[in-house]
Amino acid sequence: MTGPFLLLHDADNVLVARMNAPEGLEITLDSGPVRLARPIPMAHKIARHAIAAGETILKYGMPIGIATEDIAPGAHVHIHNIRSAYTATHALQDADGISAGVSR
């Protein structure tokens, strides 16, 4: 655990906020101390170390996204700098409540 941030799995390259973390808060990462450049809401992620554009984002030891730009240690990791890597596990329904492509 690093202050208000939690490491969920040893392989993760992100830490998860256990509480709201204010802008300017200094935290210590493996690479040394960093100050948060913006407030980080509870349950959001920050980079555990530098993450290169194209690198897989790991949470719970599992891929959750791909970095769309370089992400500095301690930077907010969210929809503005990653794209999803989730695999769809269910079919979305049409507005009429019938699953697309499924016959009755």
Side-chain angles (χ1 to χ4, degrees), residues 9-97:
H9 189 280
D10 287 340
D12 292 353
N13 53 7
V14 295
L15 301 171
V16 179
R18 305 184 293 123
M19 61 189 73
N20 293 332
E23 178 179 349
L25 178 70
E26 185 173 292
I27 59 169
T28 302
L29 301 175
D30 293 342
S31 59
V34 297
R35 288 199 183 277
L36 299 180
R38 61 186 294 177
I40 306 297
M42 183 173 64
H44 280 232
K45 301 168 294 302
I46 62 168
R48 182 178 176 193
H49 52 75
I51 300 171
E55 189 175 338
T56 300
I57 306 297
L58 298 173
K59 180 179 174 187
Y60 298 112
M62 301 298 293
I64 63 162
I66 307 297
T68 58
E69 59 188 55
D70 291 342
I71 306 172
H76 191 203
V77 177
H78 200 52
I79 60 173
H80 66 283
N81 56 10
I82 67 172
R83 65 177 167 78
S84 178
Y86 282 123
T87 301
T89 57
H90 65 279
L92 297 178
Q93 293 184 331
D94 292 331
D96 63 5

